[in-house]
């Protein structure tokens, strides 16, 4: 028995981290990839002690990058969510935060010519077949790292990256509202029926009100230890997965559709203390949200979920819009989450989502080889 090694780059993108590979450095037989990625992350193991994983969903990710053959696209980007406690790799959806590191990676790896002061990188996310345009600050032929941009959930400051998710509706299901309705009443085994909005915009997300599951909506990761609440949330997510056709039986979603749909628990603006101990004021947000990713309360807010949230806020008839009732001409939506406030810039024409814009930072953490047991 011996070990194999693969060239890679470990990068932070927004509030997530991933191991980045050039597709050319992986086996041509893609059927071998999942086993490699499990070993890279050290899954299954709640500690992920024998791999690169960081024990939470936002740090157990893989990105595979290659030059694109598509017209008007610079690079193709394939995202993989690696589970922690079960041996599963989910390739069905995108990660918005990791998307923000693709532009800097492509520039620094020579896949895209560096143009000062800003290099525009057009990325095709192959999971969703959607385009993400990234505006990356560049200096001396490399993506800038230092800057004054603050990302809630990331210590310090970094160089601003402007991202635009183009025509993000129907990213996985090809429908903005995959159930055919803006509001659905779900029957949840063991719990009361609950009203939800299921929207597929950058990623499929199920929204429901905090009060409908008996919480305030300002809670943080302490919810993870509340087994009844987390079971309630997972059943809502699983029933939603069944309703939109990801699984035939809702019980199977725990093992075969672990990454999607995402979950957002919504409430009206409220004061609370975030993960870093800072006071977040109700007056600074339009909506208070808590995301759930792979069975745990997210410590920030996934970017694809932010795009979906902005869309649901703007489109009349969703439970999100009814809760917030935004101004007709309001395009900037401020989302209060576990680590502070994130703003999304939505361009929507009626019920057509033209694009959603967010700002992130990203940086290379290390590069070299990752070793895996054969």
């Amino acid at each position: 028995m011996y070990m194999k090694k693969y060239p890679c780059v470990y990068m932070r993108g927004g509030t997530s981290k991933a191991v980045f590979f050039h597709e050319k450095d992986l086996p041509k037989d893609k059927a071998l990839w999942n086993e490699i990625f499990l070993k890279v992350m050290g899954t299954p193991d709640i500690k992920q002690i024998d791999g690169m994983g960081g024990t939470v969903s936002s740090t157990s990710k893989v990105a595979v990058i290659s030059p694109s053959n598509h017209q008007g696209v610079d690079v193709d980007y394939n995202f993989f969510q690696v589970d922690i406690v079960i041996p599963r790799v989910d390739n069905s959806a995108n990660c918005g935060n990791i998307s923000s590191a693709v532009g800097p990676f492509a520039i620094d790896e020579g896949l895209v010519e560096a143009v000062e002061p800003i290099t525009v990188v057009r990325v095709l996310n192959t999971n969703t077949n959607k385009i993400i345009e990234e505006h990356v600050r560049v200096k001396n032929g490399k993506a800038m790292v230092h800057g004054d941009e603050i990302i809630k959930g990331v210590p310090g400051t970094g160089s601003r990256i402007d991202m635009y998710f183009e025509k993000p509706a129907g990213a996985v299901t090809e429908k903005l509202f995959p159930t055919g309705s803006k509001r659905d009443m779900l029957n949840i085994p063991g719990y009361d029926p609950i009203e939800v909005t299921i929207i597929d915009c950058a990623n499929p997300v199920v929204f429901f009100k905090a009060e409908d599951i008996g919480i305030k909506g300002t809670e943080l990761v302490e919810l993870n230890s509340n087994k009844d609440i987390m079971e309630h949330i997972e059943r809502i997510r699983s029933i939603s997965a069944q309703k939109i056709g990801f699984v035939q039986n809702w019980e199977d979603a725990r093992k075969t559709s672990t990454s999607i749909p995402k979950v957002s628990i919504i409430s009206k603006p409220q004061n609370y203390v975030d993960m870093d101990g800072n006071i977040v004021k109700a007056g600074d947000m339009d909506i208070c949200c808590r995301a759930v990713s792979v069975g745990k309360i997210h410590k920030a807010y996934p970017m694809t979920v932010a795009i979906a949230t902005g869309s649901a806020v703007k489109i009349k008839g969703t439970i999100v819009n009814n809760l917030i009732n935004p101004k007709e001409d309001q395009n900037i939506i401020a989302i209060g989450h576990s680590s502070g406030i994130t703003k999304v810039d939505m361009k929507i024409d009626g019920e057509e989502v033209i694009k959603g814009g967010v700002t992130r930072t990203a940086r290379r953490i290390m590069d070299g080889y990752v070793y895996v047991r054969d």
Side-chain angles (χ1 to χ4, degrees):
M1 180 177 289
Y2 61 98
M3 293 195 292
K4 290 184 178 179
K5 64 178 185 178
Y6 299 93
C8 67
V9 178
Y10 197 45
M11 294 197 71
R12 176 184 64 79
T15 56
S16 292
K17 291 189 291 187
V19 177
F20 276 63
F21 295 98
H22 287 275
E23 184 173 322
K24 64 181 177 61
D25 293 329
L26 292 171
K28 290 184 179 181
D29 183 0
K30 294 182 180 180
L32 301 175
W33 288 9
N34 283 5
E35 187 64 27
I36 293 170
F37 298 160
L38 287 169
K39 291 177 179 178
V40 166
M41 286 298 148
T43 293
D45 172 22
I46 58 171
K47 302 181 297 301
Q48 291 186 316
I49 199 68
D50 201 34
M52 299 283 287
T55 76
V56 293
S57 66
S58 57
T59 57
S60 190
K61 300 172 183 278
V62 170
V64 179
I65 314 298
S66 61
S68 184
N69 294 320
H70 297 85
Q71 187 174 4
V73 178
D74 296 305
V75 293
D76 292 346
Y77 148 58
N78 201 350
F79 172 72
F80 299 81
Q81 177 70 60
V82 183
D83 209 300
I84 297 164
V85 297
I86 63 173
R88 173 168 170 76
V89 178
D90 194 337
N91 184 228
S92 61
N94 183 26
C95 172
N97 276 295
I98 291 305
S99 300
S100 69
V102 175
F105 175 87
I107 293 167
D108 290 350
E109 294 292 302
L111 299 175
V112 176
E113 181 182 359
V115 178
E116 295 187 21
I118 293 176
T119 299
V120 177
V121 183
R122 289 182 61 79
V123 177
L124 174 65
N125 172 242
T126 57
N127 307 76
T128 60
N129 201 34
K130 297 292 184 179
I131 299 292
I132 307 164
E133 185 174 279
E134 304 186 15
H135 295 229
V136 183
R137 275 68 180 168
V138 170
K139 189 173 182 179
N140 298 327
K142 296 291 185 180
M144 290 181 61
V145 172
H146 300 291
D148 56 8
E149 190 68 23
I150 297 173
I151 298 298
K152 292 300 182 179
V154 179
T157 62
S159 179
R160 177 187 179 113
I161 300 169
D162 297 307
M163 301 174 61
Y164 302 94
F165 292 76
E166 299 182 358
K167 298 181 179 180
V172 176
T173 65
E174 299 184 353
K175 296 179 181 178
L176 180 60
F177 295 102
T179 68
S181 177
K182 297 176 185 175
R183 301 165 76 167
D184 292 284
M185 187 65 70
L186 302 184
N187 293 315
I188 310 300
Y191 299 90
D192 291 335
I194 190 169
E195 188 177 41
V196 304
T197 285
I198 303 173
I199 190 170
D200 180 3
C201 196
N203 255 335
V205 181
V206 53
F207 293 91
F208 51 88
K209 289 182 282 190
E211 63 187 58
D212 289 345
I213 62 167
I215 64 174
K216 289 180 61 179
T218 57
E219 294 87 350
L220 301 174
V221 293
E222 68 269 14
L223 274 182
N224 291 332
S225 60
N226 189 322
K227 293 183 178 180
D228 183 63
I229 291 293
M230 295 309 295
E231 178 63 21
H232 194 176
I233 293 169
E234 179 58 21
R235 292 194 182 195
I236 295 170
R237 194 193 72 83
S238 297
I239 293 291
S240 299
Q242 180 185 39
K243 192 169 183 66
I244 56 183
F246 292 157
V247 293
Q248 189 170 7
N249 300 305
W250 68 269
E251 295 95 333
D252 296 334
R254 298 176 192 267
K255 293 184 178 180
T256 62
S257 189
T258 54
S259 182
I260 54 172
K262 304 293 187 186
V263 171
S264 180
I265 306 167
I266 61 171
S267 56
K268 290 185 176 181
Q270 305 178 68
N271 296 332
Y272 59 88
V273 177
D274 68 17
M275 292 285 297
D276 296 319
N278 300 313
I279 297 174
V280 183
K281 297 180 180 179
D284 293 334
M285 71 184 77
D286 295 302
I287 185 170
C288 182
C289 299
R290 294 294 182 266
V292 179
S293 179
V294 195
K296 299 290 185 181
I297 298 296
H298 200 283
K299 293 181 179 179
Y301 205 66
M303 283 302 94
T304 54
V305 181
I307 297 296
T309 304
S311 301
V313 166
K314 290 281 291 177
I315 297 174
K316 292 182 179 180
T318 70
I319 65 169
V320 189
N321 175 269
N322 289 354
L323 182 72
I324 303 305
N325 193 24
K327 297 177 183 177
E328 288 284 345
D329 60 350
Q330 182 178 353
N331 294 324
I332 305 295
I333 310 298
I335 301 168
H337 55 78
S338 298
S339 288
I341 292 177
T342 292
K343 294 181 179 180
V344 293
D345 185 358
M346 303 303 305
K347 185 177 181 182
I348 297 179
D349 183 7
E351 292 186 7
E352 181 185 3
V353 184
I354 308 299
K355 65 179 179 180
V358 295
T359 299
R360 298 280 86 187
T361 65
R363 80 171 184 94
R364 179 176 299 230
I365 295 174
M366 62 145 284
D367 53 34
Y369 293 93
V370 62
Y371 289 79
V372 299
R373 298 174 187 268
D374 191 26

